[in-house]
Amino acid sequence: MENLITRPLPRSLPEAQGISSAAISAFLKHMEGQRLGLHSFMLLRHGAVVAEAWWSPYRPELPHSLYSLSKSFTSTAIGQAVAEGHLTVEDKVVSFFPEDAPADISPNLANMNISHLLMMGTGHTEDTTPYMENSEDGNWVKAFLQLPVGKTPGTHFLYNTGATYMLSAILQKVSGLTLLEYLEPRLFAPLGIHNPAWDSCPRGINKGGYGLSITTEDIAAFGQLYLQQGVWNNRQLLPKEWVAAASSRQIDNNDGSPGASSSDWSKGYGYQFWRCRHNAYRGDGAFGQFCIVMPEQDAVVAITSGDSDMQSILNGVWDILLPGMSMEPEAVESDPAAHAELAQLLAHLSIQPVQLQKVSALEETLNGKVYRLKDHPQQLASLALSFTATEAVLTLQGRYGEQTVKLGRGEWAESSAKILDHNNNLIMSSFTWTDENTLKMTLLLVETPFCLTFEVAVREGSIVLKQQFNVSMSAEDLEAEFIGRLA
């Protein structure tokens, strides 16, 4: 039955698949209580979705940035390319790029092969990504190959997103297709993944290590494919041997640090998958994007979120969901009351807009005025606000030209604008006055992990703008303050 799965995935009552509704409710309440910033959650057991949740205004049909969970899809493409005879995991990395290799190839670089890229055992002692992204000519392959390889490949684990990019570049070299084009007929179309998007480097190679956006159910289907050892709808999309290799420990990543025994980042690393406690494995991405495969429980967990405390999310899976799964399905009796409570909980999960003071006399003062900002890291040059009875319009001038965002008065309003990057971001926004002089605007970039908050304190002829992100790759980008002067 499970090998016949197609999309949409089959749905079932939790108890019918040997898991209690009460355990799922307890997990969701724990996530809420710990404020772990979940955007969506889907649990599959025995091939059926037994619970699915989106914290409104996040929605089932919206894609979500996967960050490093993208890596597991890149590994899958390499597995399919191996099966098609395009390459082997023993092939040397430099052999694909003679034109970009350094004149003097070190023994370690000469020995680096595809399996070392897959297992994050390239021999580098620091992540190559910043050097690649900052390369002046935009040739990320050349930048990667020029860097020193300090250790023998295969002996030293270092999480290295540049290694995954190289897998994407190699695949494009041998197939003539981008990673996205290659996976479309081989993985995405068979799994029912529609309109996947993948960011590219300046030379048009998909980034591989990050940049893929798909929906939560797409993530769940991908996990189910691995759980079924590469079979989908009675087709072997991915060799069983590849699933075994990718999901097993290829390299040790336990540095012996205190707390390693309770960390899911020290259980070994496969081919772009992390080993977990409880004999599970996962693909994951920054700020809590998860595809957790639990072979012993015949279960898959898909999660998207915007939180830096990823270990706490995993702890919730192991401490609350896992004990609720019975190995004997008939041992979990039907519990209509518990299921009704779960259904009620799932229906009302939401991120509520802040609503403190609905209006302020200062709206007239601000209306239509343009304030110029200096030294803004996102190159935001100016902002202007206008107000109506039901909403505000925020107009931003910056590196992507003029962008406008609608904000609901104490409720979410939908816009599309270029705020974080060159892509159009779908944004759900609201505003409130925290006091007579201070305006707070909340922008949920609902296809990403990010929430951006602007707080505007109004002064005579100027404003003080406080900008805050919920999560960021660098701590200094989390909060900033700027003065805006009346234009």
Side-chain angles (χ1 to χ4, degrees):
M1 124 83 182
E2 66 268 15
N3 292 344
L4 291 170
I5 287 175
T6 55
R7 298 284 298 275
L9 299 171
R11 266 62 178 173
S12 171
L13 292 177
E15 282 75 12
Q17 305 303 331
I19 180 167
S20 75
S21 295
I24 302 170
S25 292
F27 171 79
L28 294 170
K29 287 174 184 172
H30 177 75
M31 293 292 118
E32 292 265 274
Q34 298 287 309
R35 301 186 170 213
L36 286 169
L38 265 63
H39 297 160
S40 72
F41 161 75
M42 191 174 270
L43 172 61
L44 277 74
R45 186 104 203 269
H46 306 318
V49 178
V50 294
E52 53 194 310
W54 284 266
W55 278 254
S56 172
Y58 296 86
R59 307 195 295 268
E61 71 277 12
L62 295 180
H64 200 285
S65 311
L66 299 194
Y67 280 79
S68 286
L69 175 48
S70 309
K71 291 178 168 74
S72 304
F73 288 82
T74 303
S75 165
T76 302
I78 296 295
Q80 292 175 316
V82 167
E84 290 176 7
H86 290 298
L87 45 81
T88 76
V89 296
E90 283 80 39
D91 291 345
K92 305 302 182 196
V93 175
V94 285
S95 71
F96 296 97
F97 307 105
E99 69 286 1
D100 290 320
D104 183 19
I105 297 173
S106 71
N108 283 346
L109 178 58
N111 286 326
M112 188 195 301
N113 65 30
I114 288 176
S115 76
H116 300 136
L117 298 175
L118 286 161
M119 70 173 74
M120 297 294 186
T122 57
H124 290 102
T125 53
E126 57 181 317
D127 187 0
T128 56
T129 318
Y131 298 95
M132 294 161 67
E133 291 178 339
N134 295 326
S135 60
E136 285 182 15
D137 61 356
N139 186 340
W140 290 13
V141 167
K142 189 173 183 179
F144 179 93
L145 295 174
Q146 303 298 320
L147 290 167
V149 183
K151 294 181 181 284
T152 305
T155 64
H156 170 71
F157 173 83
L158 176 84
Y159 195 70
N160 181 359
T161 295
T164 321
Y165 169 81
M166 292 300 289
L167 294 169
S168 175
I170 289 168
L171 182 82
Q172 188 160 328
K173 194 80 184 268
V174 299
S175 71
L177 302 168
T178 65
L179 188 50
L180 191 61
E181 289 165 344
Y182 184 82
L183 283 174
E184 180 57 42
R186 292 166 176 84
L187 180 77
F188 294 137
L191 288 189
I193 296 175
H194 303 298
N195 306 312
W198 210 319
D199 296 342
S200 299
C201 78
R203 298 204 165 197
I205 298 167
N206 291 141
K207 289 178 177 175
Y210 58 103
L212 176 62
S213 290
I214 54 175
T215 68
T216 309
E217 185 163 334
D218 296 338
I219 298 168
F222 178 70
Q224 188 65 28
L225 172 73
Y226 268 79
L227 189 63
Q228 294 172 182
Q229 302 191 356
V231 177
W232 190 265
N233 198 15
N234 284 338
R235 277 178 63 199
Q236 192 81 45
L237 299 185
L238 187 60
K240 188 176 177 179
E241 301 74 25
W242 186 266
V243 172
S247 61
S248 60
R249 183 200 299 249
Q250 294 290 342
I251 194 168
D252 184 32
N253 62 356
N254 187 343
D255 58 6
S257 58
S261 63
S262 60
S263 164
D264 284 290
W265 276 266
S266 63
K267 302 299 171 202
Y269 195 77
Y271 285 164
Q272 309 281 297
F273 284 92
W274 297 88
R275 293 293 305 168
C276 306
R277 290 176 286 166
H278 306 288
N279 203 28
Y281 61 95
R282 71 185 188 282
D284 74 27
F287 317 125
Q289 324 317 315
F290 287 109
C291 178
I292 306 165
V293 181
M294 303 161 70
E296 290 180 2
Q297 288 74 29
D298 194 24
V300 173
V301 178
I303 287 171
T304 63
S305 63
D307 200 283
S308 297
D309 190 359
M310 293 168 65
Q311 184 62 66
S312 287
I313 296 174
L314 287 168
N315 291 347
V317 173
W318 310 138
D319 298 346
I320 304 170
L321 280 182
L322 184 64
M325 297 184 194
S326 169
M327 303 313 278
E328 309 291 332
E330 59 279 2
V332 181
E333 291 180 17
S334 173
D335 189 342
H339 189 257
E341 185 193 351
L342 173 60
Q344 182 78 357
L345 184 59
L346 292 170
H348 291 93
L349 290 171
S350 67
I351 296 165
Q352 291 295 328
V354 181
Q355 190 169 7
L356 299 168
Q357 183 177 321
K358 264 203 147 174
V359 290
S360 162
L362 283 175
E363 288 181 22
E364 278 188 47
T365 308
L366 284 171
N367 221 5
K369 303 278 197 314
V370 177
Y371 291 89
R372 303 218 175 277
L373 304 163
K374 279 186 74 178
D375 305 324
H376 191 278
Q378 274 86 35
Q379 296 167 23
L380 187 58
S382 71
L383 69 82
L385 284 153
S386 60
F387 298 88
T388 69
T390 58
E391 66 179 31
V393 176
L394 171 66
T395 304
L396 302 167
Q397 195 75 37
R399 79 167 100 163
Y400 304 118
E402 185 175 286
Q403 304 292 324
T404 57
V405 178
K406 285 193 299 188
L407 303 112
R409 199 182 281 275
E411 57 187 40
W412 299 117
E414 187 172 311
S415 313
S416 182
K418 294 175 186 176
I419 298 284
L420 281 190
D421 52 37
H422 61 279
N423 298 315
N424 256 346
N425 299 117
L426 183 65
I427 306 172
M428 303 297 288
S429 313
S430 72
F431 77 98
T432 188
W433 290 87
T434 60
D435 59 43
E436 194 57 37
N437 292 314
T438 311
L439 175 70
K440 183 173 185 173
M441 297 175 275
T442 305
L443 284 66
L444 295 178
L445 288 81
V446 289
E447 295 175 341
T448 81
F450 299 107
C451 171
L452 173 57
T453 306
F454 289 124
E455 206 169 82
V456 177
V458 186
R459 308 276 185 265
E460 191 70 42
S462 69
I463 57 169
V464 178
L465 175 71
K466 281 186 184 169
Q467 173 185 297
Q468 187 170 29
F469 282 99
N470 59 332
V471 287
S472 173
M473 288 293 187
S474 63
E476 60 264 28
D477 291 342
L478 281 172
E479 282 187 54
E481 190 171 292
F482 310 95
I483 304 295
R485 306 213 177 273
L486 204 49

